[in-house]
């Protein structure tokens, strides 16, 4: 089947305005990198989301889930297949101490609304740029907190389009890993358990974390966020800094002068530049310290 046929079939159950052919993925990624998607789909409902997943599975079409594009590098060749994003599934609902959020809701928005409701526990996520779906897949964390501390359950789609509700234990959340990533599930929504807090204390904590983030991270340039996982007993940024790699890179990609754990797009980088810079950092840190840095960001898509 052709990509035109895929689009035609999908349009039977999804608004045709939400289906695009040969769509550039640069505008959907935080790095502002990446080629085109054969077919780009933006479901409006969970039922539509399940339809896309099932359609791709039944027809053996390569499927790429694009969340907020904050922890991902899409290669310059884009994606030969269907790219789907659940960004329109962004409902956030608070009921007592429980917070419900759909996959496409931004984690920082969930943190903010929880704080405004005088609930504590989600402050750590006030500056994380990803979506709830992406945050669940990688058990996102920052400043001493992580998703597994507050999660109750998640509703997910299997690769076959079957809907499951997974408990905290079934999610198998660990350091930057989950059963979602392991089995290739697609998050539809999640429920979190928070606690009543003192509004002034919550606001002060968020203000402090926001200051720490803005003063230490290179938010003035596009990037995929923190590129590498923390090696046991070490900090990736410190290893990179001690290797003298800040300001170095390939093409338009560069190890940030502000935070060595970030690789930034200085404005004219390609995905190949960005990936080559990652590989350069890994090689030099291994040579100097004998430590293999593992990427936290996902590298997806096809080469040109």
């Amino acid at each position: 089947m052709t990509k035109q046929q895929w689009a035609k079939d999908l349009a039977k159950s999804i608004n045709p305005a939400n289906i695009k052919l040969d769509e550039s993925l640069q505008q959907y990624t935080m790095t502002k990198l990446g080629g085109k998607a054969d077919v780009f789909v933006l479901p409006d409902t969970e039922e539509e989301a399940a339809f896309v997943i099932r359609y791709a599975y039944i027809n053996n079409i390569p499927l790429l889930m694009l969340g907020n594009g904050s922890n991902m590098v899409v290669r310059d060749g884009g994606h030969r297949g269907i790219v789907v994003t659940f960004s329109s599934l962004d409902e956030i609902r608070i009921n007592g101490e429980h917070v419900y959020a759909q996959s496409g809701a931004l984690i920082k928005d969930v943190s903010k609304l929880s704080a405004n409701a005088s609930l504590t526990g989600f402050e750590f996520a006030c500056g994380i740029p990803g979506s709830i779906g992406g945050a669940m897949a990688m058990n996102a964390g920052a400043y001493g907190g992580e998703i597994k501390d507050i999660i109750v359950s998640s509703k997910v789609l299997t690769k076959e389009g079957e809907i499951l509700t997974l408990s905290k234990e079934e999610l198998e959340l660990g350091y930057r890993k989950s059963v979602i990533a392991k089995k290739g599930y697609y998050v539809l929504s999640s429920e979190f358990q928070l606690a009543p807090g003192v509004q002034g204390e919550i606001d002060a904590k968020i203000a402090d974390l926001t200051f720490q983030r803005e003063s230490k991270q290179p938010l003035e340039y596009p990037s995929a966020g923190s590129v590498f996982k923390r090696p046991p007993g070490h900090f990736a940024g410190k290893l990179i800094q001690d290797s003298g790699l800040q300001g170095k890179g390939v093409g338009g990609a560069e190890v940030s002068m502000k935070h060595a754990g970030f690789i930034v797009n200085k404005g004219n980088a390609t995905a190949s530049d960005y990936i080559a810079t990652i590989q350069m950092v890994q090689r030099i840190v291994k040579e100097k310290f004998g430590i293999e840095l593992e990427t936290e960001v996902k590298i997806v898509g096809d080469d040109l």
Side-chain angles (χ1 to χ4, degrees):
M1 283 195 297
T2 64
K3 57 190 175 185
Q4 289 82 4
Q5 185 61 52
W6 301 341
K8 186 176 179 182
D9 290 346
L10 290 167
K12 295 173 184 174
S13 297
I14 294 170
N15 183 349
N18 292 338
I19 303 169
K20 300 175 181 180
L21 286 169
D22 298 318
E23 181 78 348
S24 172
L25 297 176
Q26 291 184 7
Q27 61 186 306
Y28 301 102
T29 64
M30 300 293 280
T31 57
K32 304 303 177 189
L33 303 172
K36 296 178 180 179
D38 284 346
V39 177
F40 183 87
V41 190
L42 189 70
D44 277 329
T45 65
E46 293 185 357
E47 292 73 25
E48 289 183 1
F51 176 77
V52 176
I53 302 302
R54 279 195 296 268
Y55 178 82
Y57 174 76
I58 290 168
N59 293 285
N60 199 29
I61 302 167
L63 183 72
L64 173 63
M65 164 61 69
L66 196 66
N68 191 43
S70 58
N71 197 48
M72 179 179 286
V73 179
V74 181
R75 293 185 177 94
D76 297 312
H79 180 72
R80 302 286 68 76
I82 295 172
V83 173
V84 61
T85 177
F86 291 175
S87 57
S88 290
L89 306 179
D90 59 356
E91 181 187 358
I92 304 168
R93 193 169 66 244
I94 297 175
N95 183 13
E97 298 171 16
H98 287 251
V99 178
Y100 162 93
Q102 285 186 299
S103 174
L106 296 181
I107 187 171
K108 61 184 180 181
D109 290 345
V110 182
S111 174
K112 181 179 179 180
L113 286 175
S114 300
N116 290 345
S118 299
L119 294 175
T120 185
F122 226 134
E123 293 94 331
F124 73 89
C126 65
I128 296 176
S131 65
I132 286 293
M136 289 302 312
M138 66 176 296
N139 183 31
Y143 302 111
E146 54 187 349
I147 288 293
K148 77 177 180 65
D149 299 334
I150 54 175
I151 189 66
V152 174
S153 64
S154 275
K155 185 161 67 167
V156 304
L157 286 165
T158 67
K159 291 179 179 178
E160 298 80 17
E162 178 189 1
I163 296 176
L164 304 175
T165 298
L166 303 178
S167 67
K168 177 178 181 175
E169 291 72 26
E170 290 170 324
L171 285 164
E172 299 176 19
L173 299 172
Y175 177 60
R176 302 300 176 263
K177 63 182 181 180
S178 68
V179 75
I180 294 163
K182 185 167 76 175
K183 295 196 173 181
Y185 292 155
Y186 304 93
V187 178
L188 287 174
S189 62
S190 295
E191 182 183 352
F192 304 93
Q193 168 80 59
L194 302 181
V198 178
Q199 191 67 54
E201 293 177 1
I202 294 170
D203 292 344
K205 185 172 184 179
I206 286 180
D208 177 54
L209 294 181
T210 299
F211 173 76
Q212 288 189 53
R213 176 172 178 264
E214 291 179 349
S215 62
K216 294 177 183 176
Q217 296 182 11
L219 304 180
E220 64 273 24
Y221 292 111
S223 81
S226 181
V227 174
F228 302 101
K229 294 180 181 179
R230 186 178 66 244
H234 298 274
F235 290 98
K238 182 73 163 58
L239 291 169
I240 297 165
Q241 184 177 335
D242 290 348
S243 297
L245 288 169
Q246 284 179 284
K248 303 242 177 16
V250 177
E254 181 182 285
V255 177
S256 170
M257 292 297 295
K258 196 171 183 180
H259 190 310
F262 285 64
I263 294 173
V264 296
N265 174 2
K266 295 298 290 286
N268 61 340
T270 64
S272 295
D273 292 340
Y274 204 94
I275 294 165
T277 303
I278 290 174
Q279 293 168 340
M280 177 195 74
V281 169
Q282 290 173 315
R283 184 183 71 253
I284 293 175
V285 168
K286 177 72 183 298
E287 288 171 358
K288 285 186 176 291
F289 299 103
I291 295 171
E292 293 191 14
L293 291 181
E294 186 181 348
T295 54
E296 185 171 304
V297 301
K298 287 173 61 180
I299 299 173
V300 300
D302 300 282
D303 290 319
L304 276 175

